[in-house]
Every structure is written in structure tokens, then in C-alpha cells.
């Protein structure tokens, strides 16, 4: 009764897809708990594969295999493709050999290659040996290319046409192959040596006269990628030209596969996560972070922390070298967090925009213009902050020499930090490093050490002035 | 001669698309410089719209309008859609009224809405008044919805079918409308009140018998979004289900438009940039960062810096309150950068993974599990770093009381930082704030202040021990 009312309310207000997914998972759990398999099976019929996958992931481990077995054979492979890799592995260990083979044989080659990356080599060999001939060939092809290249993420299941076919011939071929190809919306025209000579869209085919030749419709200036192209570059090309897919060719321009737009979205997200992790000082892995064990997590973070520890120790040594003046004016120590903190933040701001600009290919002017811009921005910010802090310090009755030292140092540090933050990413990119990974430790080092040195040098000078003059 | 040789070498080694684009821009500049308009025109014929747009953006401002005028009318609108908004504006001011109208009339409604967002309201009104009736209606529809919603980014140019149509009828309709719609690969089935009742793909149409009814092919369990749905959620749905487009309906379930996958890629990239900027302490604008003037840039950064300035001032005040002990043991000051720095870094690591996990919907377990995990990771890291620093400080002959204080504080600070870094994003999300924007200042505040306090409290205790006992 209460549930019915709730559902009514929901349909009136509209419920989010996320709530719907949670609901399905809960229903599934209850039905399986009651061992009501017919009910559970019926429940899943109208639900889409990605949602079923997520519902299964949310179940207790003991129920996952049970729930998965409820699926009709044809749906099982699609749901399996959408599962997280750790659940995929768990299920495969639970299955009998024939069940595993049926599912893996039905997966698309690119998803299968992804799965094989995660499984123990022994198990992979056993499965590959028993795949159907066509699927084995397709998989072997993909696994022959390096990870994160076009060859590894492509699917060899596309439709090729010949120039001399008519539109009617083409349609007949499309109908025949539609079931086994990932997209039928782009069709690839090849010659007798399987070289790519052009591309035709299903739009062109459908809107043309049945007796027209493919050669009359073909677009010859094809954008293609080679098998060893980096996956991010493949993604950028599809993004740039608003393609649904891009053809992958080998060194002899023979067509070997295509990469489709749905994979591109995931690749770009993966790359964005890598950049974000790098900026946050976390090393990204290929697996799902929240599934990784703690020791791996700690390992991925500790390197970065150790680098900064050394940096900070050097900064500390510089401060220790100023014992004499610190003893004289202890309040100088109060501003160390502020100076280092502001320097770090200004540097992070500059490097963030420059690194992101480089990564999404948004910087169209030369590096010098960008660096000049950042340096000026840093100086502007430094002047504003320096003035405020100087006035603030006077109001809080710090010695004038200290207040002025802080203000002046803050200007210098901001300018320095913004410059370092914009120069270093360009520098690292030009020598072939990923700017997102390399820049932060060097920026922090430069800013912290030079910042503290500047501060104490100015302070020494000011104190001598105020005390001496 | 040299150029020919170079081109030969390039074609042997393969040149990147980026190099190709630079080449086109250079050639275009030279030809325009020589006033060779025929040559320039011929040069652009085989080049794709996004590449022409980028070549034009790279030209000196005085040449941009000239280059743009070389394009045939039909291509001009497409190139114009791909231009950066500042170049779009510049060109529109340069054009005669009729030229402007021709281009804007040919743009797709979603790109036109984006352009109008950037232009002065007066100019927009003048242009809208003179658009063709259909285009004016389409634009008015989109502009009626709020920015960043499904209604604003959709295109009303889709193909709808009726249930009672045959496959042949459908194909005839598709052929008739193909020229004016964004995609013909998804077809939307509506009833007499324009309500969405299902969806048919061109794949279904092409592979079915000509006399079959649309009602036999239709998929009824359609995933749709409402006009006020946030654009990021729209993007996530297309990503999740591997769609090429998603239909947009109003509150009465009437179909009003579709959002296509090519827009989704740009939206997800925009959102990733926003997240990255937020983590780097930069406020993102809707415009291209590298085109924004410096005052705006400084404004977008200064707020964040001011917040941290206050935080740092408070930390400074805490240090000042420890004058007595600092005077006694000046070397305590040496470790302030290290403690604050490590705390900040550990906190940043935890908040980075949690915020990214929340934003890409990757956290599937409850918050408590994630927080516990992060706290343990922080404690682990703290123990490693604390031990190392303690031993290091002894080796460098710091007083043992100082060395032990630093080591103990480092453990406490790391645990605290990782906990704060994971708790706060969840907290901010639960009250409806963007965790990426809100978390960092609070994490820094908590970690810095509590860290310094812990440090001095432990140090006081240790020094009393070592001196007293």
C-alpha cells in the first residue's frame, strides 16, 4: 500500500534514473532473498543492460552469480560488458566452462580485449583456445597492439563496400552484416588490397537512388588513424570532426578496424581523471580506484609525498639557517604559512590553466604570450594581496619591518609562482613529459625555497633599516 | 624544391593532423598576403570545416574576415559554427547585414543559441527579427530555456514517425527530411498530441521488410530527458547507454528536441575543465580562458586567494601565540612548512579521488566505507612519513624533543587531513553544493590550524618531558 502510494507520487514528480536504479537493485535483492527466481527474472526484462549491470554490482557477492544467471543468453554478454572488471572476474571464476565461453564469445572484440587484460594469463589462454574461429582471430588482432593505442581499442567489426557496388548492392550487404557489426552508419570503401579508399554514410546510401554507384557517393578525403595512434589522439579527432567513428588503418593503409564514438567518451573521461589525479598528487591506475586495495593506494601516493617531503625539508633547512634573525624577531615565523601557502596557490592556479589548456589543445597562441600573461596576473594578484597583508599586519601590531617584509615578499612570490607555474608545463611538454605529472613538485620547490629566501633577505634588510636607521 | 622534398618526406613518415593544420594556416596567410584570392579559395576546398575554422583563428585579425569571405555560402555556416566565440563576434561586426543573416540562418539552432549568448542583446534582436520563420521559432524555443539545460542545448531538428507508417513510408519521410535534420539514425515515434511513444533506429528501418509497420519495430522503453534537465546529466545518460542521441520532452511528455552525442563530448570536457579549475583554485567562466582579459582573470582567482589568506593569517596567529616556546626552541619553526605542506598534500589527495569519484558517479559503496578507507590510508602514510622525518631530524641533529614532536604531529596531521579530505566533499554534496568548489578551502583551514596546534601542543609536552624529566 505504502509502496504503491510512493510509486504514484514518484511518477507524478518524476524520479531520477539513479533512484530507479536503486529501486531495481533493492527489488532484485528482496526477490533473490526470497528465492523467487521467476519474479526476479521478470523484473529484469524491461531494464537496460547498463542498469542491470549496476544492480548486480550493488548486490552482495554471493548473489551476483545467481542474479547474472537469470539473464537470457543474448542479454548476458551485453550486461557482462558493462560490469566493473572486478565483478567480471568474480563471475568468471564462478561459472562453468561452457557458460563462460558462451558469454565471452558473444562479447564485442574490444570489450573482450579489455577483459583479457584483467584476467590471469592462464585463464585467458584457455578461453581463447575455445573461442569460435572468427572471434579468436578478432581478439588476437587486438591483443597484438599495445594498450591505449587505436589498434587495441578498435573493433574489427565494420562493414566494407566496394566502389563498383550499387546502392542496392550496398543495402543488401548492410542487411546481411547488420547483426554482427558495431555500427552500420558509416561504411568503409576498400579496394582489392583492402586499402581504405573512402567512406560512405548510411545517410548517403538511404537518400540515394538504388542504381547509383558507391563510387559516386564516396567521400575520398577520409580522416583515419594508424593502429599505433594514442587513444587520446583518436578521441580528439572524433571530437573535433563530430564523427560517429574513425577508421583504423595499418602502415600500408589497409583497413583493420574502427573506433566508435561511445568508446571515445570513456577515453576522454579516463584522460580527464588522470589529469585531475596528477594535479591532486595521486598516481592514476587503470583499475577502478575505489576497488583498489589500500596498500596499492598508499604506494601510489607516497612517492609524491616523499618528493614534497624533501622539498619541505630543504625549505626547513633554509629557515634553520635564519636562526639568528628568528630568535631576534620571533613573529617572523607567523608569516611562513601565509607566504608558502599563497605562493603555492598562485602557482597552482597558473599551472592548472596552462596544463588544462595544453591537454585539451586550447592554447593557440605561443608559449611566450601565455607566460607573460600569467606573470602579469601573478604580479597583479601579488600587489593586491601584499598591500592587504602589509596593512593587516600593521593593524595587528606586528613590527613595521615585519609587515613591510611580508608585503614585499608576497608580491615577489606571487609573480615568481605564476611565472614558474606557466613556464614549467611548457618546458616539460617540450621535452616529452606529461606536464600534469611533472610540474607541481618543481613549482612547489621553486616557490617555497625562493619564497622563504626572499622573505628572510627582505626582512634582514628591513630590520637593519628600522633598527639601524 | 625544398618544400617539395619536405612534403615528400612528410608523406613517407606521416605527418600529424596538427602539423597539417599549421601548414594550411601558413599557406593561407601567404596567399592572402599576396592577395592571391583564387589560390586561397582553391587551397581551402579539400579542407574540413573545423580545420578551416582553426586556420582562420590563427590569422591576424585583419585577414580573418577576408579569409572567411572566400568560403562558398554553404560551407560558411559550418565553419562559422566551429569558430571561437570571440572570432565569431569579430566577424559579425565586420559583415554586411545580408551576409550575417545568410550565415546565421544556416546555423543549427543549438549553435545559434550559443552564439546569441555571446552577442550584445541589441544585435541579437535585430538578427532574430530577420531570420526565416522556421529558424526564428527554433531559436526562440531554445532561448526560452535556461542555460546549461537540455532545452537550451537540444536541436529541434529531428525526424518523427507515426506508428501506422510502413517502413517504406518512413524511408520516404527520412529522404525528404534528411537535409534539414541533425541525425537520421534515430527516429522518434510520436502520437497525435506529439507525445513520445517510442524510438526506431535507422538500423531497424533498413533491415526490415518495406511493408512492416513502424509500430512493429518500435522500442517503447525510451530513455528521455526533460527540458530542464542539467546538461551534465544529459551527457551522463548518453555515455551510460552508448546512445547517439537522447530525446528531450516537456512536462507533458511532448517531444521538443534531441541532444546528440557530439555535443555530449564537449559538455563532458567542459565539466571536467570546471572540476580541474575548481581543484586548482580557479573559477571557470563560460568563455575560453585564454581569450579572457587579465582583469577578469585576476578577479576569478583573487577570491580564492583571499579565503586562503584569512586561513593562513589565523594559522599565523596561532604560531604567534606560541612566541614563548618558539623563542626557547627556534628550530621548531623549521618544520612548519613540512607539517602544513604534507597535511595539505594528503588532504588534496583524498579530496581529489573522492570529488572525482562523486562527479563521474563512480562511488558505489556508502560514504562511510570510503571515509574509513581514506582515514586508514592517511594513517598509513602518516606513519611512514612521520617515522622517516623523525629519524631524519635526529640525524640532522635537531633536539630529540623536536624530532619526536614532528614525527607524532605528522601522523596525526596525515590522518586528520585524509579524513577531512574525504568527509567534506560528501558533506557539501549532501547539502547541494558542488564538492569541487567548496571542499579545498575548508580542508586547508582545518588541516593547517589543527595541524599547527597539534604540533605545538605535542612539542610543549615533549620539551617539558625532556627538560623536566
Amino acid at each position: 500500500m505504502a509502496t504503491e502510494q510512493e510509486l504514484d507520487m514518484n511518477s507524478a514528480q518524476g524520479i531520477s534514473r539513479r533512484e530507479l536504479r536503486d529501486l531495481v537493485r533493492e527489488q532484485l535483492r528482496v526477490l533473490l532473498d526470497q528465492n523467487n527466481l521467476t519474479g526476479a527474472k521478470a523484473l529484469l526484462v524491461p531494464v537496460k543492460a547498463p542498469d542491470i549491470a549496476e544492480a548486480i554490482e550493488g548486490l552482495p557477492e554471493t548473489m551476483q552469480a545467481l542474479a547474472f544467471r537469470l539473464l537470457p543468453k543474448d542479454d548476458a554478454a551485453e550486461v557482462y560488458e558493462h560490469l566493473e572488471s572486478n565483478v567480471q572476474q568474480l563471475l568468471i571464476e564462478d561459472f562453468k566452462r561452457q557458460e563462460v565461453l558462451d558469454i565471452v564469445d558473444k562479447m564485442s572484440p574490444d570489450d573482450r580485449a579489455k577483459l583479457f587484460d584483467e584476467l590471469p594469463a592462464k585463464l585467458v589462454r584457455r578461453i581463447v583456445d575455445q573461442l569460435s574461429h572468427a572471434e579468436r582471430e578478432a581478439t588476437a588482432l587486438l591483443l597484438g597492439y599495445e594498450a591505449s593505442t587505436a589498434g587495441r581499442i578498435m573493433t574489427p567489426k565494420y562493414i566494407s563496400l566496394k566502389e563498383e557496388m550499387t546502392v542496392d548492392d550496398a543495402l543488401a550487404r548492410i542487411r546481411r552484416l547488420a547483426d554482427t557489426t558495431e555500427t552500420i552508419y558509416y561504411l568503409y570503401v576498400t579496394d582489392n588490397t583492402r586499402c581504405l579508399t573512402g567512406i560512405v554514410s548510411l545517410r548517403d546510401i538511404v537518400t540515394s537512388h538504388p542504381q547509383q554507384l558507391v563510387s559516386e557517393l564516396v567521400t575520398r578525403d577520409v580522416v583515419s588513424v594508424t593502429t599505433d595512434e594514442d587513444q587520446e589522439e583518436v578521441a580528439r579527432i572524433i571530437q573535433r570532426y563530430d564523427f560517429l567513428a574513425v577508421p583504423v588503418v595499418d602502415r600500408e593503409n589497409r583497413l583493420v578496424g574502427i573506433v566508435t564514438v561511445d568508446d571515445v567518451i570513456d577515453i576522454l573521461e579516463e584522460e580527464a581523471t588522470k589529469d585531475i589525479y596528477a594535479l591532486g598528487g595521486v598516481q592514476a591506475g587503470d583499475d577502478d580506484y575505489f576497488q583498489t586495495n589500500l596498500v596499492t593506494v598508499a604506494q601510489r601516493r607516497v612517492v609524491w609525498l616523499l618528493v614534497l617531503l624533501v622539498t619541505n625539508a630543504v625549505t626547513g633547512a633554509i629557515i634553520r639557517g635564519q636562526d639568528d634573525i628568528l630568535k631576534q624577531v620571533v613573529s617572523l615565523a607567523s608569516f611562513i604559512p601565509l607566504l608558502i601557502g599563497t605562493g603555492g596557490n598562485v602557482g597552482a592556479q597558473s599551472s592548472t590553466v596552462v596544463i588544462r589548456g595544453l591537454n585539451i589543445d586550447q592554447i593557440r597562441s605561443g608559449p611566450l604570450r601565455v607566460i607573460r600573461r600569467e606573470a602579469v596576473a601573478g604580479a597583479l594578484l601579488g600587489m593586491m594581496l601584499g598591500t592587504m597583508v602589509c596593512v593587516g599586519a600593521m593593524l595587528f601590531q606586528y613590527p613595521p619591518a615585519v609587515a613591510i617584509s611580508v608585503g614585499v615578499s608576497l608580491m615577489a612570490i606571487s609573480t615568481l609562482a605564476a611565472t614558474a607555474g606557466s613556464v614549467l608545463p611548457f618546458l616539460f611538454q617540450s621535452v616529452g613529459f606529461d606536464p600534469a605529472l611533472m610540474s607541481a613538485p618543481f613549482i612547489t620547490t621553486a616557490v617555497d625555497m625562493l619564497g622563504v629566501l626572499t622573505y628572510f633577505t627582505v626582512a634582514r634588510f628591513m630590520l637593519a633599516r628600522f633598527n639601524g636607521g
Side-chain angles (χ1 to χ4, degrees), chain A:
Chain A
M1 190 68 189
T3 318
E4 246 185 37
Q5 230 173 3
E6 262 173 46
L7 278 175
D8 274 356
M9 267 184 53
N10 282 336
S11 70
Q13 297 174 357
I15 70 166
S16 76
R17 293 208 69 83
R18 154 147 253 173
E19 288 165 310
L20 188 74
R21 287 184 323 244
D22 291 346
L23 188 72
V24 169
R25 195 191 52 231
E26 257 327 278
Q27 291 170 328
L28 191 60
R29 208 181 53 72
V30 172
L31 288 170
L32 289 177
D33 235 7
Q34 300 170 348
N35 219 1
N36 182 349
L37 298 187
T38 335
K41 216 165 169 170
L43 171 77
L44 293 180
V45 171
V47 182
K48 294 193 189 305
D51 296 331
I52 297 180
E54 194 172 312
I56 290 178
E57 282 161 14
L59 290 174
E61 284 192 10
T62 48
M63 282 189 181
Q64 290 177 336
L66 185 62
F68 189 77
R69 285 219 174 82
L70 295 175
L71 299 170
K73 261 192 185 170
D74 283 341
D75 297 352
E78 206 192 334
V79 171
Y80 192 76
E81 286 177 5
H82 280 97
L83 288 169
E84 303 271 338
S85 64
N86 60 329
V87 183
Q88 282 182 332
Q89 281 186 55
L90 209 105
L91 286 181
I92 227 164
E93 286 153 19
D94 261 26
F95 289 167
K96 302 204 193 71
R97 181 168 300 192
Q98 195 50 49
E99 282 177 319
V100 172
L101 280 176
D102 284 348
I103 294 164
V104 178
D105 205 76
K106 279 213 181 76
M107 289 176 84
S108 46
D110 49 340
D111 288 310
R112 196 188 297 132
K114 232 183 265 165
L115 170 67
F116 284 176
D117 274 343
E118 306 281 334
L119 293 180
K122 223 174 126 184
L123 181 58
V124 170
R125 235 172 296 129
R126 224 172 55 206
I127 299 176
V128 167
D129 280 346
Q130 299 186 51
L131 287 177
S132 62
H133 180 70
E135 297 302 326
R136 190 163 64 235
E137 290 228 312
T139 304
L141 174 69
L142 265 65
L143 290 177
Y145 297 107
E146 259 180 84
S148 305
T149 62
R152 187 62 157 270
I153 59 165
M154 70 186 179
T155 171
K157 305 206 162 177
Y158 53 85
I159 298 180
S160 63
L161 302 177
K162 297 285 169 218
E163 306 249 347
E164 58 275 17
M165 287 181 173
T166 62
V167 164
D168 252 354
D169 297 338
L171 275 170
R173 186 171 162 81
I174 292 166
R175 284 193 195 104
R176 202 171 65 241
L177 296 175
D179 267 356
T180 57
T181 51
E182 191 147 326
T183 181
I184 66 167
Y185 299 132
Y186 285 174
L187 310 152
Y188 299 90
V189 184
T190 54
D191 64 16
N192 290 331
T193 58
R194 286 207 358 245
C195 281
L196 182 66
T197 62
I199 178 172
V200 179
S201 69
L202 186 61
R203 184 191 277 251
D204 300 328
I205 296 281
V206 164
T207 54
S208 298
H209 188 274
Q211 290 313 313
Q212 258 189 296
L213 290 177
V214 166
S215 59
E216 297 170 55
L217 307 177
V218 72
T219 304
R220 297 213 181 274
D221 184 39
V222 187
V223 179
S224 63
V225 297
T226 51
T227 50
D228 55 355
E229 185 73 83
D230 184 77
Q231 61 173 6
E232 186 169 4
E233 186 54 31
V234 178
R236 295 264 163 244
I237 286 174
I238 290 190
Q239 174 186 26
R240 180 178 183 87
Y241 299 105
D242 294 345
F243 288 153
L244 298 182
V246 70
V248 182
V249 295
D250 65 12
R251 293 194 165 273
E252 279 75 47
N253 198 35
R254 279 189 304 253
L255 183 61
V256 288
I258 62 172
V259 177
T260 50
V261 67
D262 53 310
D263 297 322
V264 160
I265 297 180
D266 298 334
I267 292 166
L268 289 176
E269 186 155 286
E270 210 178 279
E271 299 291 339
T273 300
K274 263 190 216 155
D275 292 347
I276 287 175
Y277 276 22
L279 289 171
V282 186
Q283 192 194 325
D286 284 330
D287 41 1
D288 178 354
Y289 170 79
F290 293 95
Q291 308 294 342
T292 318
N293 69 60
L294 268 178
V295 176
T296 315
V297 166
Q299 275 172 355
R300 286 200 189 143
R301 296 192 191 174
V302 80
V303 178
W304 172 230
L305 292 174
L306 285 177
V307 171
L308 288 169
L309 205 65
V310 174
T311 303
N312 285 320
V314 176
T315 313
I318 294 177
I319 296 176
R320 198 186 191 185
Q322 313 284 337
D323 257 24
D324 55 329
I325 195 173
L326 260 176
K327 221 169 218 140
Q328 219 182 310
V329 192
V330 178
S331 59
L332 276 174
S334 312
F335 290 100
I336 294 176
L338 190 145
L339 289 170
I340 291 185
T342 307
N345 293 320
V346 172
Q349 290 179 330
S350 289
S351 65
T352 298
V353 295
V354 172
I355 290 171
R356 181 66 179 160
L358 286 173
N359 279 343
I360 63 174
D361 212 3
Q362 203 191 29
I363 297 181
R364 307 218 164 146
S365 54
L368 277 182
R369 227 184 108 190
V370 175
I371 294 167
R372 202 171 50 222
R373 214 176 120 86
E374 291 302 318
V376 174
L380 272 176
L381 290 167
M383 271 188 272
M384 291 166 64
L385 299 171
T387 312
M388 288 180 60
V389 171
C390 183
V391 173
M394 298 254 199
L395 289 177
F396 279 93
Q397 317 215 307
Y398 280 89
V402 173
I404 295 173
S405 304
V406 176
V408 172
S409 310
L410 211 48
M411 289 183 207
I413 290 174
S414 288
T415 314
L416 176 74
T419 312
S422 53
V423 168
L424 290 173
F426 283 112
L427 200 69
F428 287 119
Q429 202 192 39
S430 72
V431 294
F433 292 131
D434 179 354
L437 277 174
M438 295 295 296
S439 299
F442 290 90
I443 294 166
T444 317
T445 313
V447 171
D448 278 11
M449 292 194 291
L450 289 175
V452 169
L453 263 183
T454 312
Y455 177 49
F456 281 106
T457 311
V458 175
R460 237 169 242 285
F461 177 79
M462 283 292 160
L463 287 168
R465 274 272 153 133
F466 274 75
N467 296 349

